[in-house]
Amino acid sequence: MKYLNSYALLIFFLAIMLYSCKSNKEMAYFQNVDEHLEAGIVYSALNYELQQGDNLYIQVASINSDANALFNPSISSSASASAEQQYGSLTSQFINGFQVDEEGNIDLPIIGKVYVLGKTVSETKQLVSTKVDEYFKEAVVFVKLLSFRYTVLGEVEKPGVFYNYKDRCTLLEAISNASGTTDYARLKKILVLRESVDGPRSINVDLTDKAVLSSEAYYLQPNDVIYISPEKFKRTRLNASMYSLMLSTISTLIVILKFLGN
């Protein structure tokens, strides 16, 4: 009876270890992908509606150096500084960029306050251009979003806050920038939290399904938060080495006990 109990314990631990094993199929993205894919919703940062706290790069350029100095004091005061020095770090972006304040305005030299809350980058460029035209003709206005950041949390190798300096960024790029998912990632259970002028909302994503390619969450928007939840049996898998050691110890004890019993 004693040996039966020991064997039963062995079978129990083996069952736990086998149950906690993850198949290659479970770890694969787009398990049902084929040549027929639905067109996705292509998103660009140019379509993004500005929110409070967003930071913008704005420059007025013309052949008149005096006008340039008036409209771009941060550039004229450090003419020898390169664009990389002026906007290459988060600190310099914060200092030299134009932030959308709590009232939805940006405060520009000479022009003053311009209401941009809920406007796209293109619409903001047009607004600023119209204001500049009141003071100076034939100037070119450049407007870019500096604060296209997103956060990746949960079961990725390197969670953190990341910055995108392109007009587009996909969910796959974001996960790749976080060095990919861990072996404990629950690919069917990914949550994208998105801010909008109407408030925060959540989007569920299944990375094992090709439908993610046509999901509204496939192309990220500024300030998105991606959370990849852990598997239900993560703790069991993390303790697999301990279970193996216990199993080995029990096996040794059974052999010793059987030898002594003889």
Side-chain angles (χ1 to χ4, degrees):
M1 184 67 179
K2 178 172 62 176
Y3 296 124
L4 287 176
N5 289 336
S6 298
Y7 286 126
L9 192 59
L10 273 172
I11 293 171
F12 171 73
F13 279 112
L14 283 171
I16 289 178
M17 294 178 69
L18 289 172
Y19 188 68
S20 63
C21 289
K22 192 172 187 178
S23 67
N24 288 334
K25 184 178 179 181
E26 290 178 295
M27 299 172 67
Y29 293 4
F30 316 130
Q31 295 173 16
N32 59 347
V33 71
D34 54 28
E35 68 276 12
H36 303 293
L37 295 175
E38 294 182 14
I41 304 171
V42 179
Y43 172 82
S44 168
L46 297 176
N47 306 124
Y48 171 66
E49 296 179 349
L50 296 175
Q51 302 177 33
Q52 295 176 358
D54 281 339
N55 200 19
L56 297 172
Y57 164 85
I58 300 177
Q59 182 181 357
V60 179
S62 72
I63 59 174
N64 188 321
S65 58
D66 292 333
N68 292 340
L70 289 174
F71 287 107
N72 309 291
S74 63
I75 296 177
S76 61
S77 63
S78 55
S80 61
S82 66
E84 175 65 24
Q85 290 173 316
Q86 291 183 320
Y87 295 96
S89 69
L90 295 179
T91 302
S92 59
Q93 288 177 16
F94 177 77
I95 294 173
N96 297 315
F98 295 92
Q99 285 191 314
V100 182
D101 63 23
E102 295 181 354
E103 297 177 350
N105 299 307
I106 50 174
D107 196 357
L108 301 175
I110 307 300
I111 297 173
K113 292 184 180 296
V114 180
Y115 186 79
V116 298
L117 185 67
K119 304 293 184 183
T120 65
V121 172
S122 299
E123 290 170 341
T124 300
K125 177 180 177 180
Q126 185 59 49
L127 282 173
V128 176
S129 296
T130 302
K131 294 285 187 180
V132 170
D133 284 343
E134 296 176 6
Y135 298 89
F136 184 74
K137 300 295 182 182
E138 299 181 355
V140 179
V141 175
F142 299 93
V143 179
K144 293 185 180 296
L145 180 67
L146 290 173
S147 53
F148 192 151
R149 65 180 181 272
Y150 58 88
T151 304
V152 186
L153 301 172
E155 292 302 323
V156 289
E157 295 293 344
K158 295 181 180 179
V161 178
F162 301 87
Y163 285 79
N164 176 58
Y165 295 102
K166 301 180 296 181
D167 288 337
R168 297 176 187 170
C169 181
T170 68
L171 179 61
L172 296 181
E173 286 180 283
I175 294 174
S176 177
N177 289 336
S179 296
T181 55
T182 70
D183 291 341
Y184 310 111
R186 194 175 178 187
L187 299 182
K188 292 178 177 288
K189 191 74 172 180
I190 293 178
L191 185 67
V192 176
L193 300 175
R194 178 164 293 171
E195 292 285 343
S196 68
V197 290
D198 298 321
R201 53 190 294 260
S202 61
I203 308 168
N204 292 308
V205 177
D206 179 357
L207 271 186
T208 67
D209 191 344
K210 67 178 182 181
V212 68
L213 299 174
S214 57
S215 166
E216 61 179 315
Y218 182 67
Y219 285 96
L220 297 186
Q221 296 188 16
N223 307 312
D224 276 358
V225 177
I226 304 162
Y227 175 67
I228 302 177
S229 57
E231 277 207 327
K232 295 179 181 179
F233 299 101
K234 176 182 178 180
R235 187 176 297 276
T236 301
R237 291 180 179 174
L238 288 174
N239 293 330
S241 59
M242 183 187 69
Y243 293 147
S244 298
L245 178 60
M246 292 174 63
L247 189 60
S248 177
T249 303
I250 292 170
S251 300
T252 303
L253 285 174
I254 290 174
V255 171
I256 293 173
L257 290 172
K258 187 174 182 180
F259 177 78
L260 294 176
N262 294 333

